[in-house]
C-alpha cells in the first residue's frame, strides 16, 4: 500500500465533492467584534465582518471577562499544572463550578475542557454507573453525543428527530425494569429548531427514565438568567443532567455538566475523559465564571434581547427577498443552498467581494442536499452591517441563479 497515495485519494474526494474545508487566517480585534482582519495567502490583509462565530453575545470581548482573566493569569501563571486530581484544581475551577450549578439550579457541576468532551465522557460512562442502561438518542444529536452513546457499549435506540410518538414506541418496547436515559438537545444548531423538552420529560416520568439535555447553543441565550431553554420554559428541575459550553454565548472555552451531587461525583470518579485530562487554565476558568455571572444580570438580558432582535431583523429581510430561510424562531439563521459547490462558492464570494465571513456548512455536518450558510447575528452587528449582508446575499443569489422559493419552517 502507498500511504501517500491513499491520503491524496481521500483528500481529492473532498475536493471533488466540494466539501474540502479551508481554514482562513483571521485576527479578531479587541473591542471591535464582530470586525476582524483576514490575512490572505499572498500576505495581504482585508477587513471583514464575522457572521459565523459562536461568540453569540460578544462576551469574548467584554471588559469584565478580560479583567478576570488578566487577574487570574497575573496571580497564578499560564496553565493549571495537572489534572483535577493531581494539582489541577484551583479556587477558579471551584468558583466556576459554583456559578454553573447556580445557573442551572443543580446541586453540583463538573467542568471539562470542551462540551464535546463533556458529552462524550459522560454518556460513555453512564453504563458503568447503571448496568443494563438503554440510551434513547435523538437522530440529530450532536456528534459528541453520538460518540458518547456509541462508546457507552450498551443498548441504544435512535428516535426520529423530535418525534415523541416514535420515542414512546421505543420506550414501550423495552423491559420496563431496565434503566433508561433519554438524550436530546434544546436547540439543534443546523436548523435552529427546538427540542420538545416538556413532552420528553413527561415520557421520562412515565417510563422512569433519566433525562440528558444538551443546551450548548442555548446557555447564555435563553431564560431570565441565561440558563437555557429549560430555564425559559421552567423545566430545569425536570432535567437530570444538563450539558453546556463556555465557548459560545459565554465567549471563552470549556464545557460542563450540571446535575445532582451524586451524579456529578460518580461521573467525576469514573469518566476517563475527565480523570486523565489536564484541567482548564485558571485564567480560562476565571473568564468563564465572570461571563456566566454577568449574563445572569440585567445586562445579560439586554444582550439577549438585542441578539434576538437582530436575528429577527436579518431573517425577515432575507425572507423578504425570497431567500430560503429555515426559521424555527431561534437565534440561528440558516440559509438553504442545497449544493456543496454552490455553498462554498457563495462563501468565498461573500468573503472576497464583500468582506462577509460565513463558513459553508456541508456534509457530514448536515445531510447531503441540505448544504447551507448559517449566520449568527449578535448584539454588536449594527444595522449597517445587517444591511450590507442582505444586499450582498441578494446580489450573489441572483448572480448564481439560485432558487428564491422560501422553505417552510
Amino acid at each position: 500500500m502507498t500511504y501517500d497515495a491513499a491520503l491524496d485519494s481521500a483528500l481529492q474526494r473532498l475536493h471533488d465533492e466540494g466539501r474540502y474545508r479551508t481554514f482562513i487566517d483571521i485576527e479578531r480585534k479587541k473591542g471591535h467584534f464582530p470586525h476582524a482582519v483576514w490575512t490572505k495567502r499572498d500576505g495581504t490583509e482585508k477587513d471583514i465582518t464575522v457572521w459565523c462565530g459562536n461568540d453569540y453575545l460578544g462576551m469574548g470581548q467584554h471588559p469584565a471577562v478580560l479583567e478576570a482573566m488578566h487577574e487570574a493569569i497575573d496571580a497564578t501563571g499560564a496553565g493549571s499544572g495537572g489534572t483535577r486530581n493531581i494539582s489541577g484544581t484551583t479556587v477558579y475551577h471551584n468558583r466556576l463550578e459554583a456559578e454553573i450549578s447556580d445557573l442551572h439550579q443543580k446541586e453540583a457541576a463538573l467542568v471539562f475542557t470542551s462540551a464535546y468532551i463533556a458529552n462524550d465522557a459522560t454518556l460513555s460512562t453512564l453504563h458503568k454507573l447503571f448496568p443494563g442502561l438503554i440510551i434513547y438518542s435523538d437522530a440529530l444529536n450532536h456528534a459528541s453525543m453520538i460518540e458518547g452513546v456509541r462508546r457507552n457499549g450498551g443498548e441504544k435506540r435512535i428516535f426520529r428527530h423530535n418525534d415523541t410518538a416514535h420515542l414512546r414506541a421505543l420506550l414501550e418496547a423495552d423491559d420496563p425494569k431496565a434503566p433508561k436515559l433519554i438524550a436530546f438537545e434544546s436547540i439543534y444548531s443546523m436548523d435552529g429548531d427546538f427540542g420538545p423538552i416538556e413532552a420528553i420529560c413527561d415520557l421520562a416520568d412515565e417510563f422512569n427514565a433519566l433525562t440528558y439535555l444538551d443546551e450548548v447553543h442555548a446557555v447564555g441565550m435563553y431564560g431570565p438568567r441565561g440558563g437555557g431553554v429549560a430555564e425559559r420554559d421552567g423545566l430545569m428541575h425536570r432535567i437530570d443532567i444538563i450539558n453546556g459550553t463556555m465557548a459560545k454565548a459565554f465567549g471563552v472555552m470549556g464545557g460542563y455538566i450540571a446535575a445532582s451531587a451524586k451524579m456529578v461525583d460518580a461521573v467525576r470518579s469514573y469518566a476517563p475523559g475527565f480523570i486523565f485530562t489536564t484541567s482548564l487554565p485558571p485564567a480560562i476558568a476565571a473568564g468563564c465564571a465572570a461571563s456566566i455571572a454577568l449574563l445572569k444580570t440585567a445586562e445579560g438580558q439586554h444582550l439577549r434581547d438585542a441578539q434576538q432582535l437582530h436575528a429577527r431583523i436579518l431573517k425577515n429581510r432575507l425572507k423578504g427577498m425570497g431567500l430560503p430561510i429555515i426559521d424555527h424562531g431561534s437565534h440561528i439563521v440558516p440559509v438553504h443552498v442545497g449544493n456543496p459547490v454552490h455553498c462554498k462558492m457563495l462563501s468565498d464570494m461573500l468573503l472576497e467581494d464583500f468582506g462577509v465571513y460565513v463558513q459553508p456548512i456541508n456534509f457530514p455536518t448536515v445531510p447531503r442536499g441540505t448544504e447551507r450558510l448559517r449566520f449568527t447575528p449578535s448584539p454588536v452587528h449594527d444595522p449597517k452591517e445587517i444591511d450590507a449582508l442582505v444586499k450582498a446575499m441578494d446580489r450573489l443569489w441572483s448572480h448564481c441563479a439560485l432558487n428564491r422559493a422560501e422553505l417552510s419552517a
Side-chain angles (χ1 to χ4, degrees):
M1 180 179 186
T2 304
Y3 294 104
D4 281 350
L7 293 174
D8 289 339
S9 176
L11 291 170
Q12 189 59 47
R13 284 197 302 273
L14 298 178
H15 285 287
D16 293 343
E17 295 172 11
R19 58 187 186 93
Y20 179 79
R21 301 181 186 213
T22 302
F23 300 156
I24 76 164
D25 184 355
I26 69 170
E27 182 179 352
R28 299 196 341 158
K29 296 294 185 182
K30 186 177 79 170
H32 296 284
F33 182 78
H35 300 288
V37 175
W38 168 36
T39 301
K40 302 182 184 182
R41 296 197 176 195
D42 63 5
T44 61
E45 295 183 342
K46 183 181 179 70
D47 292 331
I48 63 172
T49 302
V50 178
W51 275 100
C52 58
N54 286 333
D55 188 358
Y56 291 138
L57 301 176
M59 293 302 293
Q61 304 282 314
H62 197 286
V65 175
L66 301 184
E67 182 181 355
M69 295 182 73
H70 279 295
E71 185 274 329
I73 201 167
D74 288 343
T76 68
S80 70
T83 65
R84 288 292 296 276
N85 186 51
I86 305 176
S87 80
T89 295
T90 69
V91 63
Y92 300 101
H93 296 87
N94 291 333
R95 187 180 301 158
L96 173 56
E97 288 173 344
E99 285 287 357
I100 293 167
S101 60
D102 172 75
L103 176 67
H104 294 293
Q105 296 296 287
K106 298 296 184 187
E107 292 177 341
L110 192 64
V111 169
F112 296 78
T113 51
S114 73
Y116 187 107
I117 297 298
N119 270 332
D120 182 20
T122 302
L123 288 167
S124 64
T125 296
L126 292 176
H127 192 261
K128 301 174 187 175
L129 307 177
F130 308 106
L133 178 70
I134 304 171
I135 296 181
Y136 303 81
S137 179
D138 187 286
L140 294 189
N141 275 342
H142 276 130
S144 55
M145 299 175 76
I146 293 170
E147 183 65 11
V149 171
R150 184 190 67 79
R151 293 202 312 109
N152 178 280
E155 293 291 322
K156 64 182 178 186
R157 312 282 185 259
I158 309 302
F159 61 93
R160 290 185 293 270
H161 177 53
N162 280 351
D163 189 337
T164 53
H166 187 215
L167 174 57
R168 169 179 284 280
L170 293 173
L171 289 162
E172 288 176 338
D174 283 320
D175 182 353
K177 295 180 181 179
K180 301 173 178 66
L181 178 138
I182 305 170
F184 62 110
E185 299 182 31
S186 61
I187 296 179
Y188 292 84
S189 62
M190 290 301 108
D191 285 345
D193 58 330
F194 294 89
I197 300 176
E198 185 171 20
I200 288 178
C201 288
D202 289 343
L203 286 173
D205 289 346
E206 182 179 347
F207 290 91
N208 191 30
L210 296 170
T211 48
Y212 186 104
L213 179 63
D214 180 311
E215 288 255 39
V216 299
H217 287 278
V219 289
M221 301 295 294
Y222 297 85
R225 299 198 312 151
V229 179
E231 184 192 31
R232 181 198 70 180
D233 296 347
L235 297 169
M236 282 198 302
H237 65 289
R238 302 187 66 186
I239 304 297
D240 293 295
I241 306 173
I242 293 176
N243 168 273
T245 183
M246 283 90 71
K248 293 182 170 60
F250 296 126
V252 193
M253 72 167 289
Y256 63 83
I257 61 167
S260 69
K262 287 183 180 180
M263 183 72 76
V264 166
D265 194 20
V267 172
R268 178 189 71 84
S269 301
Y270 279 87
F274 175 82
I275 295 169
F276 299 108
T277 299
T278 299
S279 64
L280 287 176
I284 296 293
C288 292
S291 182
I292 293 170
L294 189 143
L295 288 180
K296 294 174 182 177
T297 68
E299 181 180 346
Q301 190 57 51
H302 172 73
L303 290 171
R304 285 187 282 277
D305 290 343
Q307 199 281 337
Q308 291 287 338
L309 175 62
H310 289 177
R312 286 195 300 273
I313 290 171
L314 179 59
K315 283 189 279 193
N316 287 336
R317 292 198 62 186
L318 293 175
K319 283 181 184 179
M321 298 188 306
L323 267 62
I325 304 300
I326 304 169
D327 185 6
H328 293 280
S330 73
H331 63 283
I332 294 168
V333 185
V335 180
H336 185 270
V337 178
N339 178 289
V341 175
H342 288 164
C343 202
K344 179 68 166 63
M345 181 173 60
L346 281 168
S347 172
D348 291 344
M349 294 170 73
L350 283 167
L351 182 64
E352 184 66 52
D353 299 339
F354 299 95
V356 169
Y357 176 40
V358 57
Q359 279 288 79
I361 308 294
N362 292 333
F363 178 84
T365 306
V366 295
R368 297 180 194 273
T370 70
E371 292 82 6
R372 68 205 58 188
L373 299 174
R374 188 186 63 166
F375 298 94
T376 52
S378 77
V380 292
H381 284 96
D382 64 30
K384 287 183 180 179
E385 289 157 346
I386 294 174
D387 191 56
L389 170 60
V390 170
K391 289 177 178 176
M393 288 291 286
D394 189 28
R395 285 182 58 184
L396 290 181
W397 218 258
S398 296
H399 175 77
C400 298
L402 295 175
N403 181 20
R404 287 187 184 258
E406 184 179 334
L407 290 179
S408 60

